[in-house]
Amino acid sequence: MIRLRRVYDPPEPGTDGVRVLVDRLWPRGLSKAAAAVDEWPRALAPSTELRKWFHGGGSAAEFRRRYEAELAEPEAVAELERLREVAASGTVTLLTAVRDPAAAHAAVLAELLGPGPS
């Protein structure tokens, strides 16, 4: 199962499973201990250029298209496949600093990884 959560929310040890930060930058004001992140595969995060383009007024549909193109790169494909294997045997929680994970790049990742986000 794939879950989406904000990295700023307290960990849920019995529910979160493997906690994976999917942002390119470490979240401001959050210690590594408080975040309780198990993995941080930067290859799955949108590139700096794509983030800047989107925050400069890019459309959500075009962001998704460009982001999926970035996820087709070999390093990202390998990370996606590895996380699919982890999710097949337990829960993977995708963590992001954005206010609404369901409307962010983490939701695109969740769709690509498998059974729906919760």
Side-chain angles (χ1 to χ4, degrees), residues 4-109:
L4 297 176
R5 296 195 64 216
R6 290 195 75 215
V7 70
Y8 295 108
D9 294 337
E12 295 178 355
T15 311
D16 282 348
V18 177
R19 293 171 52 88
V20 180
L21 180 63
V22 294
D23 291 345
R24 185 151 312 265
L25 305 173
W26 188 262
R28 287 182 177 209
L30 188 65
S31 72
K32 292 189 184 210
V37 168
D38 297 310
E39 298 184 23
W40 187 15
R42 289 177 189 87
L44 297 181
S47 67
T48 300
E49 296 79 18
L50 182 55
R51 281 186 310 104
K52 286 181 179 180
W53 172 83
F54 183 65
H55 293 298
S59 74
E62 181 63 13
F63 171 85
R64 182 183 181 105
R65 188 190 69 72
R66 292 181 185 194
Y67 182 45
E68 287 178 348
E70 289 184 356
L71 292 173
E73 294 294 322
E75 188 179 358
V77 169
E79 285 293 342
L80 281 169
E81 197 53 45
R82 192 184 61 72
L83 281 180
R84 274 189 198 101
E85 291 172 10
V86 172
S89 61
T91 301
V92 171
T93 299
L94 303 179
L95 302 168
T96 182
V98 300
R99 287 192 177 103
D100 183 6
H105 68 283
V108 175
L109 280 175

